Amino acid sequence: MTVEVLRLGHRPIRDKRITTHIGLVARAFGADKMLLPERDENIEKSVCSLVENWGGDFSIDIVGDWKSYIRGFKGTVVHLTMYGMPVDEAIGDVTGDVLVVVGSEKVPRFVFDNADYNISIGNQPHSEVSALAIFLDRFFDGAGLKRDFGGKLKIEPSTSSKIVKSE
Ligand code: SAM
């Protein structure tokens, strides 16, 4: 089973940090890759250097024609939107390989019509980063956070200090 996250509407200057954070959250919460419609070397560099140090197989792919990618996806397409069905009602139906679509500003109607599930994380507007984190946490039932990434750097949890071990 694989989980891919398609980030739509990325504006290279304005959304640099948010799109990077989508990549970081996707990886940390258990997804396998982030897909972008167009190349953005800054984002690829920051996410790849994090993977280099902290481990795992997370990658970024460029899909180009994202509509064809959604249409051709062999698995379940989930669109996270404040207008969708409550996550706790829908999550049990989401199985197999999953493509999670998150937007930025206005998401084209095409996405609502071509997703298998339009899912909301509450019906208030918030952020694609928080929506993705909560969706993945529910989908993996908390297990995404407990994975061992096998990285060069590892944190030893502590009540009072920063302990980072490097291999
Ligand atoms: N009108 C948008 C919508 O359809 O959810 C809100 C725009 S919001 C700035 C950008 C992205 O955050 C959305 O495309 C969606 O992926 C995500 N998002 C924001 N609030 C959400 C919520 N309550 N539930 C699920 N996703 C949400």
Side-chain angles (χ1 to χ4, degrees):
M1 186 247 299
T2 61
V3 176
E4 301 179 4
V5 176
L6 172 61
R7 196 306 193 248
L8 294 181
H10 167 68
R11 294 155 296 182
I13 302 202
R14 212 171 140 183
D15 294 328
K16 184 173 165 225
R17 266 173 68 80
I18 299 233
T19 302
T20 302
H21 285 193
I22 289 174
L24 302 187
V25 162
R27 170 186 172 276
F29 284 71
D32 300 281
K33 60 169 76 165
M34 175 168 74
L35 308 168
L36 295 172
E38 284 163 29
R39 170 144 276 132
D40 183 325
E41 283 180 11
N42 289 323
I43 291 182
E44 287 175 81
K45 261 191 219 146
S46 31
V47 175
C48 292
S49 82
L50 185 129
V51 172
E52 171 70 24
N53 286 319
W54 292 93
D57 297 325
F58 190 79
S59 58
I60 296 183
D61 277 356
I62 311 305
V63 292
D65 180 357
W66 59 267
K67 289 187 179 174
S68 301
Y69 193 84
I70 290 178
R71 271 207 205 93
F73 187 75
K74 306 258 178 289
T76 306
V77 178
V78 170
H79 170 217
L80 296 180
T81 168
M82 62 191 277
Y83 304 106
M85 293 303 292
V87 64
D88 290 331
E89 282 179 29
I91 197 83
D93 297 331
V94 181
T95 53
D97 292 338
V98 180
L99 175 64
V100 186
V101 185
V102 295
S104 60
E105 281 188 313
K106 198 168 160 32
V107 174
R109 176 87 226 167
F110 175 93
V111 183
F112 288 83
D113 294 342
N114 285 273
D116 296 299
Y117 299 99
N118 289 291
I119 293 182
S120 63
I121 309 294
N123 294 111
Q124 299 296 316
H126 46 89
S127 147
E128 48 273 48
V129 179
S130 53
L132 178 64
I134 290 174
F135 174 80
L136 291 174
D137 192 52
R138 295 283 209 286
F139 180 71
F140 288 113
D141 208 9
L145 292 180
K146 296 178 190 143
R147 281 195 343 188
D148 181 356
F149 286 85
K152 290 185 208 159
L153 298 178
K154 254 192 193 119
I155 289 173
E156 197 173 296
S158 160
T159 53
S160 56
S161 53
K162 290 185 186 175
I163 309 174
V164 182
K165 300 210 154 166
S166 58
E167 129 196 311

